[in-house]
Each structure stands twice: as structure tokens, then as C-alpha cells.
DNA sequence: GATACTGATGACAGCGCTGTCATGCGTCAA
DNA sequence: TTGACGCATGACAGCGCTGTCATCAGTATC
């Protein structure tokens, strides 16, 4: 294995006694090369330690094997799971990912989409469906498969995988009411468009049930965390002391509420019902176990890559395909008051 | 903004009335181009919506602006923080990252290192310092800056950022003993080399203190999670009922222990001391707050990129430079027994 | 026996950019 | 005035690979 100098495809070709183009084909589409030639080429590749140069390939073919993934945050637990699903599904393919981090800014998102598209990616995954008009236009004229992730909405640009955050949040709110809670509140951090829709569902659900208390909602644009959950809950109690349940925008917040409730000797679920969102692994392990609206984030990532791979393989879904992964209300001890 | 066809550097050049090479220089090293030419070029770039083609650049120059990051897991909380630090520090630079996921396999790690290096990256970040001899050799002859992340050890291949996991774990164990716990146990998941060293420190510390109980250690190669913490702790209690404290390999586990202890009506810290590792944000928010050995994972990622950027800018650290970020024992209520 | 077709392989050019060397011009010391 | 030097710019070639055609057996069809 010669490591000091770059081995090129031509060197492999002469070692195998074929022309460079045949080696290229053996790599890209083995079926087009005779088994004997293939065997000699494979042997030469192994012997020389040849690794293809992706830059040269991209330049010559005008395509890359890179899937762009544009998400608001690399640190958020939720996107961490999605990312894992993406890497999972990439296993065994020649594709790689290029992450872009919008930091929840539509301007950065638009710029990233433009830059990624200019590199002729094999596919593009973007979080949400709230792109700016210009970004949307760019995605519509993209020559690669595009998947909008996290959320299914009215009109996918190309394909979409996710769930209805409105419906999911509604289910959480309805669950609290069913359990007999009469003064539920909403706690939200990182109020991105999906969180806004979740809040809207909460408000609509309460209004629909004729619960007319004055908007027991505490939100913040800060990124979500457990300690933020503690603070938001403390804030809520000082504003709306009569609160008997909280629907949390996500599980970090819910866990913070659980801890803060314990600190204040509030009994969960008797004095306070808690419902989270996403159903992170720890919610079921908590004491008491915390109810949450489960979303399958791993599967979201996997499915997104699956759609792209299928499309690249020519057997993909048509434009406009939306895959609704749904949600599941995980009713646990933290809301089991009986009602 | 013409979006349908790719704008090339030559088109920008003719629009600006200069030669292509001048545009190239204006992009790569603006100081080498006269201010007037630069202004006209910038104008043309904006007007045409030009975006450079990284593949062509990589092919022509033999370099890329990609930093390879090879980590065991994309989902693990710890690496999530490190990754965030990396993205943080990349902000405002032309560099991008390419993630590689070893899934804790030295074989995959070696392969990834080889593949990444063959693409002439701008830099390479690898987790830990337990590379296989072949991988180590490949890294040693790499032409780019290499940073070993997470851990500082005897002989960095090039540069290293991290901490001594042995020392950090020792501090946790010693803290439990100082607080008067006499039968501490160790709970570990995902027993990678760093975890092994943490376990070793625990054993050595207990032995040093003359505590000769028979190895109260429960470990598993499974990935760590809160519910796994519950199970490991249940397991531990059935094996070593006399346990009065646990040092956890990481915070997920510690949180699981906290929940499981509550489920069993064990009082924390009186009946049971709990100390985690890493000090995830939620530990301080828990009730009772959980002690942990804090590591600055964000800074680790940031510093790694910082070292690479400095080196690329020609003002970097010499080979062999190791940056020890240390650790801090966060003594909280979960171990505050007084002793 | 001539034509059409299939399958394996090759020749050639060029993807968009940058490294290297060359050029032309103005400035300064001798 | 001359030569040396620095600065901005340009010409040329080529990075490693693949798309597009062309070629050439070998087989099938009438």
C-alpha cells in the first residue's frame, strides 16, 4: 500500500491492463464491465490502495455524492436524533452528508440553500416548510431530490417527511383536559414555526373546550434546556398560580417542570399534570414517568434519506409526496389523575 | 441573479474586465489584487450570483476546505456538544466539516481515516488516542493538522485537546469517599477506552483508600441512556445491596440512578450518593441537584478547530502540543452527606 | 451471406479552477 | 540614464475523472 503518493485511476488501469475508462465504469457501474476485467481491477485497487478522488469525479460528472442537510441547530436533542437517523440510513451507500446550521435564521437558511444547491448535491434535506419565498423558489428549481423534514404541511416543494405538529400538540392538550385538568398552561422555548403551531393548537383546543382563562402561556426564544424549564415554570406559577397542568413545548422543559415541582412540593400528577413533547428516551424512565407526545425522529431522518436514495435509484416517489409519520400520545404517570 | 445556468469564474472575469486568474486571486487572497479590480470583481460576483465550485478548486489546488471529524457516535450527548463547539468555531471561516462515524469500531475508524486523508482535508479531528497502529501511522504521515480530541495522553500524534479521564474520574471517586461514603460502586455504559480509564481510576482510588470490597462494578457495552441507568442500578443493588454511593460513567446513567432511587424510596444523598460524569446541563437542574465531574465539551470542539485554523494560518502550535482543558468537580446536593 | 444488433471496451475532450512562470509597468538607487 | 526591484496581472497547462461518441467482436435475423 503506497501511501505517500496519490494513486490515480490511470495507474490502476495500467496495473489491471485496461483503459482508465473501464476502471471508472467498474467503480460506478460494475455490471457494464466483464467479470474478468472487474476481478483484475478490484485486485489492482486493493494492491495499490486506490481511493477515488471525489473532487475530480464531481468536476467531471457535474454531480456529487453529498446530501445537504440544513437544520436550525446541531445541538438540539431533537435534531440530534434526526441526524442519527440520517447517518443510519446512509450506511452502506456512497453518499455523505454536509450539514448546514441556520441558527433559526431564515436569512442564513436562504443563503445555505443557495450555496448547497450550487454544488449540485445528490439531494437536499431542509427542516420545516417555512422557507422564505426566494428559498422556496430556489428549491423548486433544484435538480436534485428535496425533502422537507420534521413537518408535513399543505404543499411540499418536492417531498416531505414529518408529522402535523398542530395535531400532535392538540392531542397533548386534549389529553390534559380528559384527565380533568382545568387550568392547563403552555410552556415553550425556542419558538420556531413548529413550536408556534403547537402553541396555536393548545390555544385552539382550550378555546374549543370553552376554557376561557387568560392565556396561561410562557414562552421564550431561548434555546430549550432543563433549567430553562425550571425557570419558565417558576415564572408561570407567579403569573398564573392556579395552573394545574402544563403542556410543554418539548421534553427538556417538561423535565425541568418535574424537578421544579418537586422542589416546591407539588405532587405530580395530583397537583400538577405534566406533558412533554417528542418523548425523549428519558421521559419513560423519570419518576414519575412523564407523559409526552412521541415523535419518531430517528425514523424521520431515515425516511428522508430513504426517499432520496429511492429517487436517485429511479424508483422514487413523485413530486408532492408527503410521508406523515404521525405521533403517539404516551400517557404516563405524570398526567394520570383519573379525571 | 441567473440561477438556471452555472456561472463560472471566467464569466465573472469578463464581466469585470479582468482575467480569470485575477478573479481567482481576488477570492483567495484579496490583498494581491488592486482595490479597483477587487471592487469591479465583487460587483460582478454579486450581479451574476457567482458561487465558486469547490470541486474544481479542490482538483486544481490539491487541497480542500473540509475538516474531517471522526467520532464514535453522532447521537451521544457528549459528542453532540463537541460537534456544536466545532460548528461554532467554524463560523466565519471558509471551512466545512465532514463527519465520520466509527460506531466505536477501530476497524471502521482506520478505514475512515484513510479515506478522509486521501481527500487531502484541511485538517482532521479524531476522537481519543486509541487508534490502531496502522491508523496512527497514517495520521503521522498526514500532510494536514491533526487533532486528537477528548483526551490528553502521553504522545499526541500532532495536537491534542481534552482532559485526563483518569484524573477526572479519580476526583469523582475521591469526592464520594470524602463525603463519607464507604461502599461506592461504579456504573458504566458504552465502555470505550475513555470509560475504561475512568473505571480504572475508580478502582485505583478505592484500593488506595484501603476499601477492599469486591469490585462493585456494573458495566455494559450498550449505549448509555437514562433508562439503562435505572436498569444498571437495579442490577447493582441486587448484586451489592450494601452500596451507599455510585460513580456513574456519565450523566444519563446518573439521572437514571436518581429516578430509580426515588422509585425505591432511597433518600439521596443520605442513603445513596450519586455522582455523574460530564455535567450535562440538566444535572444542576435536577432535584436534588446531581453532582458531576464537569468537562467542557463545547470548548473542546472549539479549541480543536482553533488549533487547526491557527496552524493553517501559519501561526499554529508545534507538533506534540497538548491542550489540557481539565475538569471541575461539581459537588451538589446528591452527594452532600457531610461525611 | 449481408444486415442489424448487443456488449465490452477505448479515444478524446473538457469539467472549473489554480500553480507556475512570464510580462509589463512604475519607482528607486547608483 | 540605467539596471534592479516590487507589484499587479496574464498565459498556459493540467489536476483526476467521466460524458459522449466510436470501435470491434460476436451473435441473431432474414
Amino acid at each position: 500500500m503506497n501511501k505517500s503518493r496519490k494513486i490515480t485511476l490511470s495507474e490502476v488501469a495500467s496495473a489491471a491492463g485496461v483503459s482508465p475508462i473501464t476502471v471508472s465504469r467498474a467503480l460506478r457501474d460494475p455490471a457494464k464491465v466483464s467479470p474478468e476485467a472487474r476481478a483484475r481491477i478490484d485486485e489492482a485497487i486493493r494492491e495499490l490502495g486506490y481511493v477515488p478522488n471525489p473532487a475530480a469525479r464531481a468536476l467531471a460528472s457535474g454531480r456529487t455524492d453529498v446530501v445537504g442537510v440544513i437544520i436550525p441547530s446541531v445541538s438540539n436533542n431533537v435534531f440530534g436524533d434526526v441526524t442519527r437517523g440520517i447517518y443510519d440510513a446512509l450506511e452502506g451507500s456512497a453518499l455523505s452528508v454536509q450539514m448546514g446550521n441556520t441558527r433559526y435564521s431564515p436569512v442564513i437558511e436562504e443563503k445555505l440553500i443557495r450555496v448547497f444547491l450550487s454544488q449540485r448535491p445528490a439531494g437536499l434535506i431542509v427542516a420545516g416548510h417555512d422557507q422564505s419565498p426566494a428559498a422556496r423558489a430556489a428549491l423548486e428549481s433544484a435538480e436534485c431530490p428535496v425533502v422537507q423534514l420534521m413537518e408535513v404541511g399543505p404543499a411540499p416543494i418536492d417531498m416531505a417527511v414529518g408529522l402535523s405538529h398542530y395535531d400532535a400538540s392538540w392531542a397533548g392538550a386534549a389529553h390534559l383536559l380528559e384527565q380533568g385538568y382545568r387550568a392547563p398552561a403552555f410552556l415553550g422555548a425556542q419558538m420556531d414555526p413548529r413550536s408556534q403551531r403547537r402553541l396555536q393548537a393548545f390555544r385552539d383546543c382550550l378555546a374549543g373546550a370553552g376554557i376561557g382563562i387568560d392565556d396561561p402561556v410562557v414562552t421564550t426564544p431561548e434555546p430549550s434546556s432543563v433549567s430553562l424549564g425550571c425557570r419558565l415554570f417558576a415564572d408561570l406559577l407567579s403569573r398564573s398560580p392556579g395552573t394545574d397542568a402544563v403542556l410543554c413545548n418539548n421534553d427538556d422543559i417538561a423535565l425541568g417542570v418535574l424537578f421544579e415541582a418537586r422542589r416546591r412540593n407539588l405532587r405530580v400528577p395530583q397537583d400538577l399534570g405534566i406533558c412533554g413533547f417528542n418523548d425523549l428516551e428519558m421521559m419513560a424512565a423519570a419518576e414519575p414517568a412523564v407523559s409526552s407526545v412521541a415523535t419518531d425522529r430517528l425514523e424521520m431522518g431515515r425516511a428522508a434519506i430513504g426517499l432520496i436514495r429511492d429517487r436517485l435509484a429511479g424508483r422514487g416517489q413523485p413530486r408532492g409526496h408527503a410521508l406523515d409519520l404521525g405521533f403517539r400520545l404516551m400517557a404516563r404517570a405524570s398526567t394520570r389523575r383519573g379525571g
Side-chain angles (χ1 to χ4, degrees), chain A:
Chain A
M1 288 230 202
N2 183 346
K3 299 221 62 279
S4 59
R5 235 177 38 70
K6 297 283 278 189
I7 306 296
T8 71
L9 186 141
S10 313
E11 297 172 64
V12 173
S14 37
V18 295
S19 76
I21 191 65
T22 303
V23 178
S24 172
R25 267 195 288 259
L27 254 29
R28 273 227 142 318
D29 194 352
K32 286 197 171 159
V33 174
S34 67
E36 308 83 56
R38 223 184 307 154
R40 270 177 299 142
I41 290 168
D42 287 348
E43 168 67 15
I45 287 175
R46 204 170 319 108
E47 189 129 326
L48 296 169
Y50 169 71
V51 181
N53 180 332
R57 175 175 288 180
L59 184 59
S61 69
R63 297 173 297 102
T64 63
D65 290 333
V66 175
V67 176
V69 178
I70 298 180
I71 55 176
S73 157
V74 285
S75 56
N76 188 313
N77 269 324
V78 170
F79 293 108
D81 287 340
V82 171
T83 304
R84 184 152 58 99
I86 288 173
Y87 275 95
D88 261 24
L90 242 32
E91 209 65 21
S93 82
L95 299 174
S96 66
V97 309
Q98 165 94 348
M99 285 285 179
N101 190 189
T102 70
R103 299 158 171 258
Y104 293 95
S105 152
V107 177
I108 299 181
E109 179 175 53
E110 190 177 321
K111 201 191 88 193
L112 280 174
I113 288 173
R114 228 179 273 289
V115 170
F116 276 35
L117 281 180
S118 80
Q119 295 168 214
R120 295 182 179 275
L124 199 55
I125 296 174
V126 296
H129 59 209
D130 299 281
Q131 287 75 32
S132 71
R136 211 184 148 87
L139 289 172
E140 263 158 7
S141 59
E143 285 162 4
C144 64
V146 173
V147 177
Q148 287 168 295
L149 200 64
M150 306 310 289
E151 207 172 0
V152 292
I157 293 175
D158 181 0
M159 297 178 284
V161 183
L163 62 129
S164 162
H165 288 248
Y166 186 94
D167 294 354
S169 182
W170 181 290
H175 171 66
L176 292 177
L177 297 180
E178 275 160 27
Q179 292 294 315
Y181 295 105
R182 282 295 160 261
F186 183 94
L187 252 37
Q190 193 87 274
M191 294 301 288
D192 62 25
R194 287 167 293 288
S195 301
Q196 299 287 2
R197 281 187 271 279
R198 301 209 284 265
L199 171 54
Q200 192 56 50
F202 171 81
R203 284 183 167 139
D204 292 353
C205 182
L206 260 61
I211 295 190
I213 47 179
D214 44 17
D215 221 31
V217 168
V218 181
T219 65
T220 162
E222 283 178 69
S224 127
S225 70
V226 178
S227 46
L228 181 61
C230 301
R231 276 188 282 139
L232 290 181
F233 183 53
D235 219 40
L236 173 71
L237 284 188
S238 63
R239 287 205 228 169
S240 311
T243 298
D244 66 358
V246 279
L247 181 62
C248 300
N249 189 27
N250 62 49
D251 287 337
D252 292 350
I253 302 293
L255 198 59
V257 171
L258 177 66
F259 288 137
E260 188 63 25
R262 188 174 303 284
R263 215 164 274 134
R264 289 161 183 257
N265 290 312
L266 291 168
R267 292 168 307 158
V268 176
Q270 297 89 333
D271 304 332
L272 181 76
I274 304 176
C275 183
F277 196 92
N278 277 324
D279 197 34
L280 298 186
E281 174 270 334
M282 56 177 137
M283 305 316 275
E287 167 55 29
V290 179
S291 302
S292 192
V293 181
T295 61
D296 196 342
R297 301 164 304 287
L298 207 67
E299 183 55 29
M300 255 186 249
R302 284 210 198 101
I305 294 294
L307 288 175
I308 288 174
R309 290 182 74 171
D310 286 352
R311 182 68 76 72
L312 293 176
R315 52 172 208 282
Q317 300 290 342
R319 243 170 202 262
H321 178 77
L323 178 57
D324 189 342
L325 259 27
F327 58 88
R328 278 174 64 202
L329 180 77
M330 309 302 287
R332 301 202 180 92
S334 74
T335 53
R336 197 164 296 146
R337 191 158 74 163

